[in-house]
Amino acid sequence: MRFKDIERIVKILETSSVSEIEVTDFLGRKIRITKCTNNTQAVKVEAPSQPVKEKAEKTEQGVDNLVAIRSPIVGTFYRSPAPDAPPYIDIGDVVKPGQVVCIVEAMKLMNEIESDVAGKIVKMLVKNEDPVEYNQELFMVEPL
Amino acid sequence: MLIGSKLYYFDSLESTNEYAKTLIKDAPEGAVILVDQQTGGRGRFGKQWYSPEGGIWMSVILRPPDPSLISIIAGIAVCRALHMNGVLPGIKWPNDIVLNGKKIGGTLTEIIDKTVILGIGVNLNIREFPDELEAIASSVFLETKKHLEKKMVFDTLCKQLDDCYIMLKQNKVTDLLTEWRHYTILLGQQVVIEMPDKELSGKVLDISRDGALIVMRSDGKIMRVVAGVCHLRQR
């Protein structure tokens, strides 16, 4: 997105009654411009995607003391390494830090997703072959 | 040269990617495992990959800071290597290598413990395929009647992969994608993307900087595709 495009969006925002405009360009790059009360504009440009990481995103402590294992990339979720192979883990299984829990595939790149925590798998939030988004919760773990 | 700085060569292995996994801790970056034949070669999701003598079956151990474009550069390197040996193949997103509409090569990339195992298969001088593969798979020899010297193609491939990997580490993504566009058979074509839960059809417009395919659906909506299998729509 070029500077003059951003200028045009700012002008549209100034002369309208809306307080925020978000535009996504051809390549998926997003820009969101928010009208502030002190007459300045906050400009936030978001990257089109996040870099691929091998490990699951940092898990977060949620309600009920459960911890989520999240997808580090956009892709397709697979529970097992091959269609006829058993799943990596199931509900009730105890996992260790560094243990592979699933695969997320993007562009024929098979990312083995590992658990960051030791605990028991209590929820599986996606089904085999579901498309998953960046940072989407895949499993909930009860820390041990 | 990083790629091939250490070479593990065998007459036969079950799978070069599986063997590479046993070397993750010890092998230096750029190490290559090369075999004459694989007895249990694998493609995506455990699908069998026919890999008798006459092809190039190899895996490369890499530790890139960002592995997302590894599949893309592997496709470019294979095309360059064949091109330099007098054959001009094409790329079907993300990394199938095709000649006369038939698949003659592909890659399988796995990320394990922060290490990338890049498996590359090129059907070079294979004379025949099992019946079930005949309609979709072929070899350089069958399509061109040229017998290319395997060692020469392998050496060129390592050199070109090394060059592409250096470009990736130097963040020359624009140059790499320009080259990918040159080799791909998809730009402007009507395709069907087969995803696990649905199918998406439309016209291919471009590839984005992170390697996603940009497709315009018939209703004009523009989609970014990161997963799925791409087929050219039959006319």
Side-chain angles (χ1 to χ4, degrees):
Chain A
M1 199 168 293
R2 290 169 302 183
F3 183 72
K4 69 175 185 185
D5 295 327
I6 297 171
E7 266 188 333
R8 281 174 56 202
I9 299 167
V10 170
K11 278 190 184 140
I12 293 167
L13 192 67
E14 276 174 350
T15 56
S16 77
S17 58
V18 296
S19 59
E20 184 174 290
I21 295 179
E22 182 176 304
V23 179
T24 304
D25 78 1
F26 190 66
L27 295 175
R29 290 176 300 204
K30 278 185 190 167
I31 181 164
R32 182 183 302 141
I33 303 179
T34 308
K35 196 190 282 184
C36 298
T37 48
N38 62 358
N39 287 336
T40 59
Q41 278 79 30
V43 177
K44 183 184 173 198
V45 177
E46 292 172 12
S49 70
Q50 303 296 326
V52 176
K53 293 172 198 165
E54 299 75 25
K55 236 177 170 175
E57 277 296 298
K58 193 81 186 152
T59 47
E60 284 169 20
Q61 206 80 14
V63 287
D64 306 330
N65 205 29
L66 298 181
V67 174
I69 299 176
R70 295 166 183 269
S71 175
I73 54 166
V74 178
T76 305
F77 170 87
Y78 292 100
R79 288 186 63 197
S80 57
D84 53 353
Y88 285 105
I89 52 161
D90 227 320
I91 289 177
D93 285 357
V94 173
V95 293
K96 298 178 292 192
Q99 182 175 337
V100 176
V101 293
C102 64
I103 283 180
V104 177
E105 179 199 11
M107 290 177 276
K108 291 198 183 176
L109 211 133
M110 308 298 185
N111 288 272
E112 286 191 347
I113 309 301
E114 298 170 357
S115 173
D116 269 352
V117 291
K120 190 160 103 180
I121 303 289
V122 292
K123 275 187 205 164
M124 198 174 305
L125 302 163
V126 281
K127 294 197 299 290
N128 194 42
E129 301 192 343
D130 271 357
V132 292
E133 295 296 322
Y134 167 73
N135 215 25
Q136 183 174 336
E137 291 175 345
L138 306 173
F139 301 96
M140 297 306 283
V141 182
E142 186 184 317
L144 294 176
Chain B
M1 197 167 90
L2 184 73
I3 309 296
S5 55
K6 180 148 190 175
L7 179 67
Y8 299 81
Y9 169 72
F10 301 91
D11 295 339
S12 176
L13 278 178
E14 187 181 334
S15 148
T16 54
N17 265 32
E18 288 305 312
Y19 187 78
K21 287 177 191 173
T22 67
L23 299 174
I24 282 179
K25 294 276 187 290
D26 308 315
E29 185 177 33
V32 171
I33 298 99
L34 174 72
V35 294
D36 286 338
Q37 65 167 343
Q38 295 183 108
T39 54
R42 290 183 302 115
R44 189 172 162 270
F45 270 95
K47 283 186 189 164
Q48 195 191 347
W49 181 279
Y50 182 61
S51 26
E53 280 191 42
I56 294 175
W57 323 120
M58 61 188 277
S59 294
V60 188
I61 293 174
L62 297 170
R63 297 186 181 93
D66 174 2
S68 54
L69 288 178
I70 287 292
S71 294
I72 298 292
I73 68 162
I76 295 170
V78 173
C79 282
R80 281 191 193 178
L82 291 175
H83 201 171
M84 286 173 177
N85 283 279
V87 175
L88 182 55
I91 302 177
K92 189 159 70 68
W93 183 87
N95 51 13
D96 284 353
I97 309 300
V98 292
L99 198 54
N100 301 337
K102 287 188 171 181
K103 185 165 174 174
I104 58 148
T107 67
L108 175 67
T109 312
E110 297 177 87
I111 301 179
I112 292 156
D113 201 12
K114 294 180 182 169
T115 299
V116 170
I117 296 175
L118 167 62
I120 300 177
V122 184
N123 304 339
L124 202 60
N125 297 317
I126 297 171
R127 304 286 173 126
E128 56 182 0
F129 284 85
D131 293 346
E132 67 271 21
L133 292 177
E134 222 165 37
I136 49 169
S138 190
S139 69
V140 172
F141 175 80
L142 290 173
E143 295 304 314
T144 65
K145 304 298 171 223
K146 285 182 187 169
H147 181 100
L148 299 184
E149 187 58 47
K150 195 165 89 175
K151 183 171 186 321
M152 191 182 289
V153 179
F154 170 73
D155 287 347
T156 319
L157 176 53
C158 289
K159 173 79 189 71
Q160 295 312 315
L161 188 58
D162 195 76
D163 187 61
C164 289
Y165 192 51
I166 290 169
M167 287 174 73
L168 185 65
K169 288 205 280 197
Q170 290 172 341
N171 206 23
K172 291 183 178 169
V173 176
T174 304
D175 292 344
L176 286 166
L177 293 181
T178 300
E179 205 171 343
W180 191 91
R181 290 183 189 100
H182 168 72
Y183 281 121
T184 190
I185 58 166
L186 294 180
L187 290 186
Q189 299 295 317
Q190 295 289 336
V191 295
V192 177
I193 313 284
E194 205 180 289
M195 299 178 193
D197 57 335
K198 61 181 173 187
E199 273 191 0
L200 163 74
S201 56
K203 181 178 169 183
V204 175
L205 299 179
D206 203 358
I207 185 173
S208 71
R209 279 187 76 81
D210 55 353
L213 199 64
I214 309 292
V215 176
M216 184 168 71
R217 294 195 324 201
S218 54
D219 62 4
K221 191 169 181 195
I222 291 168
M223 313 284 294
R224 277 168 44 84
V225 179
V226 296
V229 179
C230 176
H231 303 283
L232 280 170
R233 194 190 277 173
Q234 301 296 324
R235 288 173 191 278

